[in-house]
Amino acid sequence: MIMLKLLPIAALLASVVHAAPAFELQTSEHPAIASIERYAVQTPSKENINYNGQFISVFPKGFGFAPGSGLALKKMDKDGTLYFWATGDRGPNADAPKVLEGEKKREAKIFLAPDYAPRFAEIKVTRKQSADVISSKPFLIDGELASGLPLPKGTVGSTGEVALTDGLKTLNANTRGIDPEGIVADKNGKLWVVDEYGPFLMHVDAASGKVLKQLAPGAGLPEVLKHRQPNRGFEAVAVTPNGKVYAMLQSTLNIDGETKSTAQFIRLVEFDPSTGATRMLAYPLDVDAYKKTGDAKIGDLVAIDNTRFALIEQGKGKDKKLRNVLYVIDIAGADNLVAIDGKEPEFASKDALANVKMIRKQRVLDLRELGWTAEKAEGLALFENGIAVMNDNDFGLKSELASGKDVDDLLIKDGQLPDGDRLVVAPSAETTDLWLLNLKQPLKNYFPK
């Protein structure tokens, strides 16, 4: 376990001891952050995911469980010990070239543990000591283990993605496929979990992992959500004190294949469990920061009160640098999204959207200013006088072609790559880290005016 003691930021930055680059920002003058506690999340070996495939020599102990796809505070003890709910995603998978089926090119992923059942966990943070996964449970759908494999083509929530073995053979899809990306508890102790496939909003019994209710586009959720980009469904979920549930898409919708790169906003869905009513609000992206708006992603979302939230907006900017920006947003007064000139507002120009009241936002900080190096900040939670942030390390693996070509440069045909090339899966250096950002001033000081 690697942890930084509670220090002023200037001292902290001089003390980073694992894979943190040098940087020059004088964070002792940072207006928001007083100090940072940095933990490498420890997961017991019993949580490892078994693997017996062709890359077993580099993964002899299987894959470590990666719980960094979503984070929510469960409780805080009087001594400051923190307990969080966290969720892993669909399991150990890696990028692959597209699969050629006839004349159609289909997105593909390698699933190195196709029998893996997605699961959620509880993490205990003993301050100034460690962050440890102390338990985990798989999700159960209709009494059976959920799967991380994609849904069959043509079913509600299907991405149309091809699942492959590490030998590039096609795997069967699974009707219980989910890709969990956000988690939060309601006042009754039940969990709300969102996924990237459907997108689905699931009500889950925390004691058993049983999915009590699964809402989908056209089945409890607005049908327009079916236009989410592949693997860019719901990424974040929050519950406000009044009991309403807010699920947020990861990226722009791609309606009729036309809007993912030009839409000016990402949708936030409000769901009232007491009535089943929904409405959708527009979160305005930092449009000018990206080469195209489809590059923007939401990391996670957490409620501050009934109308205000903290969230992470991230992605590669047009300057080719990664950004992981923390905002406070306020939905009070935001319009329920409706058609503009007979079309969904994703088609509208910036000028045409001028009369739509969007969610208001106020920047707090960019995590990269504090030394954050992970690509994905996908867990966000609040605790007394602080913010918890966690990354998704994709189960500690990465893929590449032996030729050095980009995976997008080749196609898989009949289970083979051209010219004798081969796909190699190797460990990545990225760990699952949890940062506790201790605040100088409360987040209410950043409420949008």
Side-chain angles (χ1 to χ4, degrees):
M1 193 282 301
I2 299 171
M3 192 278 272
L4 292 178
K5 294 181 179 180
L6 186 60
L7 295 170
I9 284 183
L12 169 73
L13 297 181
S15 307
V16 173
V17 293
H18 74 101
F23 40 88
E24 299 180 358
L25 181 68
Q26 297 299 310
T27 46
S28 60
E29 301 301 321
H30 198 284
I33 306 302
S35 61
I36 302 175
E37 298 169 57
R38 181 176 177 178
Y39 303 84
V41 177
Q42 301 298 296
T43 304
S45 58
K46 67 179 182 179
E47 301 283 355
N48 281 11
I49 299 144
N50 292 330
Y51 176 66
N52 294 298
Q54 62 177 287
F55 303 108
I56 191 170
S57 62
V58 291
F59 298 104
K61 297 181 180 179
F63 306 103
F65 175 49
S69 290
L71 191 70
L73 181 68
K74 181 181 181 183
K75 65 176 182 177
M76 181 175 181
D77 287 347
K78 291 181 179 179
D79 65 359
T81 300
L82 297 166
Y83 295 84
F84 294 97
W85 291 115
T87 187
D89 58 25
R90 57 182 170 171
N93 67 89
D95 292 337
K98 290 183 175 67
V99 172
L100 186 64
E101 291 185 352
E103 296 183 357
K104 187 173 183 179
K105 300 173 184 178
R106 293 180 60 193
E107 297 286 341
K109 287 278 188 180
I110 296 173
F111 287 78
L112 290 99
D115 295 329
Y116 173 76
R119 61 186 193 247
F120 61 99
E122 188 175 350
I123 295 175
K124 177 182 178 181
V125 179
T126 305
R127 305 293 287 272
K128 303 184 183 181
Q129 293 185 36
S130 64
D132 302 283
V133 172
I134 58 175
S135 68
S136 75
K137 290 186 181 71
F139 294 99
L140 302 174
I141 298 176
D142 298 329
E144 298 187 52
L145 290 173
S147 172
L149 294 172
L151 295 154
K153 283 193 298 183
T155 61
V156 175
S158 172
T159 61
E161 189 178 49
V162 180
L164 301 171
T165 68
D166 57 9
L168 304 186
K169 304 304 180 185
T170 301
L171 291 160
N172 290 329
N174 195 301
T175 57
R176 298 187 305 280
I178 57 172
D179 186 0
E181 290 290 344
I183 188 169
V184 69
D186 62 22
K187 61 184 179 182
N188 297 316
K190 297 293 193 296
L191 303 174
W192 288 97
V193 178
V194 291
D195 104 310
E196 287 196 292
Y197 281 158
F200 298 128
L201 173 61
M202 300 178 290
H203 204 201
V204 178
D205 178 60
S208 66
K210 180 180 179 181
V211 176
L212 306 172
K213 181 186 296 184
Q214 187 174 22
L215 305 176
L221 295 174
E223 190 169 7
V224 70
L225 299 174
K226 69 183 181 181
H227 294 292
R228 54 93 184 94
Q229 298 179 46
N231 300 319
R232 301 276 191 97
F234 284 142
E235 184 69 23
V237 63
V239 174
T240 49
N242 61 13
K244 290 184 178 180
V245 181
Y246 292 83
M248 195 162 192
L249 291 170
Q250 184 178 35
S251 292
T252 53
L253 288 180
N254 192 25
I255 301 172
D256 299 331
E258 297 180 24
T259 63
K260 73 174 182 180
S261 297
T262 57
Q264 304 287 297
F265 59 87
I266 292 175
R267 294 196 183 220
L268 175 66
V269 181
E270 177 187 276
F271 172 72
D272 188 341
S274 65
T275 64
T278 63
R279 64 182 185 131
M280 292 179 289
L281 313 174
Y283 167 77
L285 297 171
D286 296 341
V287 173
D288 294 338
Y290 305 100
K291 184 176 181 180
K292 55 185 184 298
T293 59
D295 293 337
K297 302 176 184 179
I298 297 301
D300 205 356
L301 176 80
V302 59
I304 300 171
D305 56 28
N306 285 332
T307 68
R308 287 170 283 234
F309 305 78
L311 66 72
I312 292 172
E313 179 184 327
Q314 57 191 2
K316 183 179 289 188
K318 61 185 178 184
D319 60 0
K320 298 184 179 181
K321 295 180 180 179
L322 291 171
R323 58 199 310 268
N324 308 90
V325 185
L326 179 70
Y327 284 96
V328 170
I329 65 171
D330 192 345
I331 67 171
D335 288 337
N336 186 24
L337 289 171
V338 295
I340 298 175
D341 296 329
K343 287 189 173 185
E344 294 292 349
E346 277 79 3
F347 288 97
S349 66
K350 185 176 181 179
D351 289 342
L353 288 169
N355 293 325
V356 176
K357 293 181 180 177
M358 296 194 187
I359 294 167
R360 292 177 295 143
K361 60 192 286 188
Q362 176 63 50
R363 186 184 187 276
V364 180
L365 56 88
D366 188 333
L367 290 170
R368 305 197 88 78
E369 297 171 352
L370 303 176
W372 183 268
T373 59
E375 176 186 355
K376 303 175 182 179
E378 293 194 353
L380 182 67
L382 302 180
F383 63 96
E384 186 177 7
N385 300 320
I387 302 167
V389 185
M390 189 161 63
N391 70 305
D392 174 17
N393 80 328
D394 290 329
F395 291 82
L397 59 89
K398 60 182 179 179
S399 62
E400 57 188 21
L401 291 168
S403 63
K405 295 179 180 178
D406 191 277
V407 293
D408 292 331
D409 293 338
L410 300 180
L411 292 172
I412 298 170
K413 184 178 180 181
D414 299 326
Q416 300 290 328
L417 287 167
D419 303 322
D421 207 344
R422 60 191 177 88
L423 200 68
V424 177
V425 180
S428 72
E430 191 170 306
T431 57
T432 298
D433 291 345
L434 191 153
W435 285 22
L436 301 182
L437 309 178
N438 299 293
L439 296 172
K440 282 183 177 177
Q441 52 187 324
L443 284 176
K444 68 179 183 181
N445 288 6
Y446 295 93
F447 288 171
K449 300 295 189 288

